[in-house]
Amino acid sequence: MSVIDLRSDTVTQPCAGMLDAMAKAATGDDVYGEDPTVNHLEAELAQRLGFAAALFVPTGTMSNLLGLMAHCERGDEYIVGQQAHTYKYEGGGAAVLGSIQPQPLEVQADGSLDLAHVAAAIKPDDFHFARTRLLALENTMQGKVLPLEYLARARSFTREHGLQQHLDGARLYNAAVKLGVDAREITRYFDSVSVCLSKGLGAPVGSVLCGSAELIGKARRLRKMVGGGMRQAGILAAAGLYALDNNVARLADDHANAQLLAEGLRGAGFEVEPVQTNMVYVQMGDQAEAIKAFAAERGIKLSAAARLRMVTHMDVSRAQIEQVVATFVDFSRK
Ligand SMILES: *Cc1c(COP(=O)(O)O)cnc(C)c1O
């Protein structure tokens, strides 16, 4: 029985074409700057997203950390969503390793931060306070796409207040595909962007931080410091290049599958939040453990949560989504 894993879009296996590209990758020592495939990936993504430079790193957590630390000095502050990855899901790295104070704010229903609340959180220049340096946004945010009009407003706002603006774009391409725009239409509003290759794009490892040459120069030093300098990393960068060339447009299939799943579950009487990209949130209440166990017996891997997140990706087919819906229907009749 083939397993259907809906816990995350990080669970994909590299396909034959990707493995072939990895096997054929030209490599060198990237700490010496001599891995041609890493250099190619960095130049390619910087160019595609409209930045002067980029840096390949093992994880999105490291990419965000280096971005925050390159923007902020010890005793500086970044404003960030209470539910954002860069605040809640990175082990407190910015504070622990960067001595950067987070100022979390509640995220609005559409995934954005209310700019009036951000304005109120900016600290005056006074020695009592940390220095507010940066606004960090996330797109997609729990599967929600930030409106371009909001990004434009946030950009003017941060310019006006002398703040830098960082995007945790782990799923930047899901947002771009959903909006039907070039990813640059999103990244043009930011001073730095972190993109994951290991989520919906299907690479086994890797994220890229994009920014100015100066920012990426700082980030490169910091990467070495936190132990992220890799050697013949071209094998991994080749997977990223393959993903960028082959797996972007197909994210639309994951979005369609997420819609299909949401509609099926609604039809079975479940309470499902509106779906925009590849994430489906269902209210399971006290049935979280029960549905997880019920699904596991039928070859479906779910997380256990009262607000259950299911994520579609390239290793889940439309037919398998129908199977998942049928399983929920059986569960509801049990
Ligand atoms: C996955 C993810 C990251 C980084 O993840 P790693 O597992 O460290 O690669 C950052 N931000 C968001 C929104 C994510 O979903």
Side-chain angles (χ1 to χ4, degrees), residues 7 73 151 170 188 241 244 297:
R7 291 171 302 167
E73 301 296 326
L151 298 183
R188 58 190 284 238
L241 282 163
L244 289 171
E297 283 168 16

Side-chain angles (χ1 to χ4, degrees), residues 59-61 64 85 90 138 140 168 170-171 196 198-199 207:
T59 65
T61 299
N64 281 324
H85 206 279
E90 298 184 359
E138 185 172 318
T140 61
D168 177 355
R171 297 186 179 83
C196 284
S198 58
K199 301 278 167 81
S207 285

Side-chain angles (χ1 to χ4, degrees), residues 132-203:
T132 310
R133 291 281 301 160
L134 176 77
L135 176 64
L137 299 175
E138 185 172 318
N139 197 13
T140 61
M141 175 71 196
Q142 299 194 347
K144 290 171 190 161
V145 180
L146 299 185
L148 292 178
E149 162 278 320
Y150 172 78
L151 298 183
R153 272 196 298 125
R155 171 80 287 186
S156 318
F157 172 91
T158 50
R159 284 233 169 91
E160 202 179 298
H161 290 85
L163 303 183
Q164 298 288 296
Q165 189 154 296
H166 173 75
L167 178 65
D168 177 355
R171 297 186 179 83
L172 167 71
Y173 280 103
N174 292 88
V177 165
K178 173 65 185 181
L179 292 173
V181 301
D182 189 283
R184 268 186 193 231
E185 293 304 314
I186 296 170
T187 57
R188 58 190 284 238
Y189 299 112
F190 293 89
D191 299 297
S192 56
V193 173
S194 167
V195 181
C196 284
L197 303 165
S198 58
K199 301 278 167 81
L201 296 183

Side-chain angles (χ1 to χ4, degrees), residues 103-130:
Q103 167 62 70
L105 297 177
E106 206 55 36
V107 173
Q108 301 187 102
D110 69 354
S112 69
L113 294 176
D114 184 329
L115 295 178
H117 293 171
V118 176
I122 296 173
K123 315 285 181 287
D125 182 6
D126 174 318
F127 64 73
H128 290 89
F129 304 125

